[in-house]
Amino acid sequence: MTKTRSIIRGVGGYLPEKVLTNAELAAMVDTSDEWIQQRVGIKERHIAAEGQYTSDLGLEAAKKALEASGVSADDIDLIIVATTTPDYTFPSTASIVQMKLGIHHGMAFDIQAVCSGFVYALATADSYIKNGLATRALVIGAETFSRIIDWTDRTTCVLFGDGAGAMVIEKAELADDAPEQGVLASALRSDGHHWDKLYVDGGPSTTGTAGHVHMQGPEVFRHAVGKITDVVYSTLDKAGYTVADLDWFVPHQANKRIIEGAGNKLGLPSEKVVMTVDIHANTSAASVPLALSVAVADGRIKSGDLVMLEAMGGGFTWGASLIRW
Ligand code: ACO
């Protein structure tokens, strides 16, 4: 007997060239490097160039993930882009990435779960593979969040950045007694009653504009640590593991204090926590695959490691995925 699994072939990340430092932000709004670093642990963020779209960032990350995987674009039959900042209202950014990769077959669609988008997209791609709808998927988190920021609002503009990360996963039939590999378990949650704690005040149906990010920061903070730890425990339970089994924790990079709070509550040593929020800021759906691509490229995450991904964001949405690398 065999079991169908989605195994990880490779990851890649891309950050736009332009870096915006805290000092530069302090010249734009009433803030300081000290305040930003102390409250959220961010030093700098990358900002997409004029005319550089979410699909461009996603495409660069996808090319790197394909290269790292040794997989050609032609072999991909599912593209999911997790994004809150699509190029257009439609078609999906995934369709545009598909076109830019020269792919004519398979499926392409976007997932909108804000900062949890990548975890939602990975769980979706894993389900499609396990249910026989796809064999090799490109799962991308890509954002040009800078386009929906009010650059005069110091309470939000210091927090976010642009970027993209991508992962190639593929169907494998593993013998029942073979060592486990790939996506082991996922848990996804949402509670729309919290929609107005973190939202964008525009859209095609309401204002006909893209709108800007609004956030009740302390409320988001209050919910984050509990929701993150809860979904991490659920995911571990599903797969029959405990926190002590984890080699790496790759959380959504929203805020150093939220990451440390969740790590402490889980009882994880800080050496096992991948942190890139200082140099990437919060890149929403791109943050988890970007952090992963850094930790894989620098040799921290290795074949056989047990890795927990998690994210929480607007909706609220939250979720986690446990992976055997
Ligand atoms: N620079 C200087 N002062 C600021 C800034 C800034 N960039 N932003 C807010 N302040 C001021 C406020 O105006 C307020 O001043 P006041 O007391 O004179 O009114 C003061 O700082 C305290 O404001 P609070 O909002 O109460 O500040 P708090 O200590 O809660 O920190 C923060 C704000 C950092 C946003 C915090 O609430 C937080 O980390 N929340 C989580 C939000 C988050 O990470 N969101 C990311 C998206 S959600 C996700 O991805 C999970």
Side-chain angles (χ1 to χ4, degrees):
M1 284 289 282
T2 61
K3 53 194 175 193
T4 308
R5 287 288 178 272
S6 310
I7 59 165
I8 317 298
R9 289 290 304 258
V11 288
Y14 174 78
L15 291 158
E17 250 172 64
K18 183 182 160 47
V19 172
L20 181 66
T21 64
N22 289 349
E24 288 170 291
L25 270 173
M28 295 159 59
V29 291
D30 183 13
T31 190
S32 66
D33 177 47
E34 191 194 0
W35 193 96
I36 302 170
Q37 288 213 44
Q38 194 247 325
R39 298 296 173 110
V40 287
I42 296 169
K43 294 180 187 148
E44 58 187 38
R45 68 287 292 144
H46 290 249
I47 304 292
E50 207 183 320
Q52 191 178 32
Y53 303 138
T54 295
S55 65
D56 298 315
L57 274 49
L59 175 69
E60 291 310 315
K63 283 183 188 164
K64 290 192 179 159
L66 288 169
E67 196 185 325
S69 310
V71 165
S72 106
D74 277 348
D75 296 328
I76 298 293
D77 58 5
L78 169 62
I79 301 175
I80 306 181
V81 174
T83 189
T84 303
T85 47
D87 294 15
Y88 303 102
T89 301
F90 78 84
S92 69
T93 302
S95 300
I96 298 170
V97 170
Q98 183 192 35
M99 183 264 293
K100 287 178 177 171
L101 285 170
I103 302 173
H104 292 272
H105 58 267
M107 290 162 276
F109 59 89
D110 288 359
I111 275 188
Q112 202 330 12
V114 205
C115 300
S116 313
F118 184 81
V119 175
Y120 267 63
L122 181 60
T124 303
D126 177 43
S127 301
Y128 274 48
I129 285 175
K130 285 182 176 145
N131 287 303
L133 283 162
T135 53
R136 210 167 285 107
L138 195 44
V139 186
I140 302 170
E143 299 279 15
T144 46
F145 232 74
S146 60
R147 307 260 155 79
I148 54 167
I149 295 297
D150 174 356
W151 288 101
T152 65
D153 175 9
R154 69 176 181 171
T155 67
T156 51
C157 76
V158 302
L159 302 175
F160 297 94
D162 299 337
M167 181 187 272
V168 175
I169 63 172
E170 112 185 337
K171 179 177 184 168
E173 290 295 340
L174 304 179
D176 268 341
D177 56 354
E180 61 187 4
Q181 238 186 307
V183 182
L184 305 184
S186 299
L188 304 177
R189 309 259 191 274
S190 70
D191 183 351
H193 291 94
H194 300 290
W195 74 273
D196 60 349
K197 295 189 173 75
L198 179 57
Y199 75 105
V200 166
D201 62 354
S205 175
T206 49
T207 61
T209 64
H212 290 121
V213 174
H214 292 266
M215 181 179 68
Q216 298 172 27
E219 276 296 299
V220 174
F221 201 103
R222 195 169 69 78
H223 283 273
V225 173
K227 288 190 164 32
I228 289 166
T229 48
D230 177 55
V231 81
V232 164
Y233 283 129
S234 293
T235 309
L236 284 167
D237 275 355
K238 279 190 186 183
Y241 284 102
T242 68
V243 170
D245 297 312
L246 291 176
D247 294 299
W248 295 104
F249 181 50
V250 185
H252 170 45
Q253 306 288 317
N255 178 324
K256 186 167 180 261
R257 287 192 301 151
I258 293 177
I259 295 172
E260 287 174 346
N264 290 339
K265 195 166 177 199
L266 289 165
L268 270 166
S270 58
E271 311 82 71
K272 290 187 172 184
V273 180
V274 174
M275 184 101 76
T276 52
V277 66
D278 54 337
I279 49 169
H280 296 169
N282 182 348
T283 57
S284 186
S287 101
V288 169
L290 260 174
L292 256 183
S293 68
V294 168
V296 170
D298 68 21
R300 272 179 290 172
I301 296 180
K302 294 178 293 299
S303 177
D305 282 353
L306 192 63
V307 183
M308 176 65 75
L309 316 180
E310 73 68 18
M312 184 235 169
F316 290 143
T317 56
W318 62 109
S321 261
L322 184 67
I323 291 172
R324 179 69 72 183
W325 205 259

